[in-house]
Amino acid sequence: MDKSITKVVEKDLCHGCGICKTACPTDAIEFTIRKGLYIPIVNNKCINCEICLKTCPGISFDYIKQNNVLFNEQPDDVWIGHFKGLYLAYSNDFDIRFNSSSGGALTSLLIYALENKVIDGAILVKMNEQNPLMPELFIANDKKGILGAMGSKYCAVSIDAKIKDIINKRGNYAITGLPCHIHGLRKYQQVNKSIKDKLILSLGLFCSNTASFYGTEFFLRKKGINLKDVKEIKYRSGGWLGNISVLDKFGNKINFPRVANNNRDSILHKISFHTDFSPIRCLLC
């Protein structure tokens, strides 16, 4: 009987977070891109240990259990969860606030944590320099690295690549991620204490749904841009609300307003919110 992550994929409950690959003790899970999303493929190394299922946030996330594990009690408000205070925050560094997606609070928090020795690095996402339409996980060990990860990435992101790397590194680490990424990490931390001890700060981002790579490709083609000509893409630039900024290999830079004519015509709507460009699992979140 198959007790692997395959049944999650077959039931459209996978959103490609990557935690199953990280958790697998026999390296039996590989990722491929299908329909513009990261999809796990199980190879013959699988021993049906079910760890991938125990850590998968797509198949389930038990809020009652997680609240007991993390806080030893249930929250007074089940919708908001546990909190010490609720704040509207933004960076007091003008450049960070201007160049980030929505105020730069997380960027500033990470820089503060790094400079004050709370953490020794952070697992973040940037766009790959050689393949600019693909995201890349990396460990930022300085302010420059954190600044290089600023801004939203409206594409699929798998966080598996760097989680195991920090186990053998000295120090404490932070990570930023979407709710599904953080859910998976919380479940994995109960399976692997080493990750729990190393990953001391998890910063969650607001999310409506994960966007597939097809969303970006659709937009660029609609704008007459050859995908092979793209040298750099920034999904949010030029202050809030921000523009999509595309730099091609010929040195031409084009800015597309994030909101055009009306919200239904907006870039964000076409790339991120359209259900044709997101996992079915996101509709349940």
Side-chain angles (χ1 to χ4, degrees):
M1 181 179 176
D2 186 2
K3 298 180 180 179
S4 74
I5 203 73
T6 300
K7 67 180 185 181
V8 178
V9 176
E10 291 173 348
K11 294 180 181 296
D12 287 321
L13 293 174
C14 176
H15 36 47
C17 72
I19 203 69
C20 59
K21 182 179 178 181
T22 303
C24 180
T26 62
D27 294 324
I29 298 175
E30 302 168 357
F31 266 74
T32 187
I33 295 176
R34 186 190 302 164
K35 296 182 180 180
L37 298 164
Y38 289 110
I39 298 295
I41 304 294
V42 179
N43 61 38
N44 58 13
K45 295 179 183 178
C46 179
I47 57 174
N48 282 328
C49 66
E50 297 190 72
I51 290 178
C52 57
L53 295 179
K54 291 177 182 176
T55 57
C56 174
I59 194 171
S60 68
F61 188 78
D62 189 334
Y63 286 93
I64 294 175
K65 177 182 177 180
Q66 292 296 328
N67 275 304
N68 286 335
V69 168
L70 291 169
F71 306 106
N72 256 346
E73 62 180 357
Q74 296 301 305
D76 294 329
D77 189 312
V78 296
W79 298 108
I80 299 177
H82 286 279
F83 62 91
K84 291 187 176 181
L86 302 176
Y87 304 94
L88 178 65
Y90 59 83
S91 175
N92 58 14
D93 182 307
F94 175 82
D95 289 335
I96 292 177
R97 186 179 182 188
F98 185 80
N99 291 304
S100 63
S101 293
S102 301
L106 265 63
T107 299
S108 287
L109 284 171
L110 286 171
I111 292 172
Y112 176 88
L114 189 64
E115 292 180 342
N116 287 274
K117 311 298 182 184
V118 178
I119 59 173
D120 297 281
I123 301 174
L124 303 174
V125 180
K126 62 182 178 180
M127 302 309 288
N128 188 289
E129 292 182 9
Q130 280 68 47
N131 192 353
L133 299 182
M134 297 294 292
E136 175 188 351
L137 245 69
F138 73 106
I139 298 175
N141 299 113
D142 54 27
K143 181 178 179 179
K144 182 180 179 181
I146 293 174
L147 292 175
M150 275 197 304
S152 298
K153 285 82 180 173
Y154 294 129
C155 61
V157 174
S158 171
I159 64 169
D160 69 278
K162 292 296 177 183
I163 302 298
K164 285 185 177 179
D165 288 358
I166 66 173
I167 293 178
N168 298 319
K169 290 181 178 291
R170 297 179 62 184
N172 299 316
Y173 291 85
I175 190 170
T176 62
L178 300 179
C180 53
H181 295 136
I182 305 301
H183 287 171
L185 280 171
R186 292 302 189 199
K187 295 181 76 172
Y188 183 41
Q189 285 173 331
Q190 292 171 37
V191 174
N192 189 330
K193 190 175 184 298
S194 297
I195 290 294
K196 183 178 181 181
D197 293 340
K198 288 282 185 177
L199 208 54
I200 66 164
L201 180 61
S202 300
L203 299 176
L205 301 163
F206 281 100
C207 177
S208 297
N209 57 274
T210 290
S212 76
F213 296 115
Y214 285 172
T216 299
E217 292 174 8
F218 169 81
F219 171 77
L220 292 174
R221 288 193 175 104
K222 288 280 284 186
K223 297 299 182 181
I225 297 173
N226 189 324
L227 303 183
K228 294 180 179 179
D229 291 340
V230 176
K231 183 178 180 181
E232 179 185 72
I233 183 168
K234 293 183 179 180
Y235 290 94
R236 302 281 292 274
S237 67
W240 197 82
L241 290 164
N243 306 315
I244 281 190
S245 173
V246 178
L247 176 68
D248 68 23
K249 63 183 182 182
F250 308 108
N252 302 310
K253 188 173 184 179
I254 313 170
N255 289 315
F256 300 100
R258 183 172 173 234
V259 176
N261 301 328
N262 57 63
N263 194 48
R264 287 191 176 182
D265 228 10
S266 74
I267 288 168
L268 188 63
H269 184 273
K270 281 182 167 57
I271 291 180
S272 185
F273 290 155
H274 203 296
T275 53
D276 286 347
F277 303 134
S278 66
I280 293 175
R281 173 62 176 82
C282 287
L283 303 179
L284 301 177
C285 183

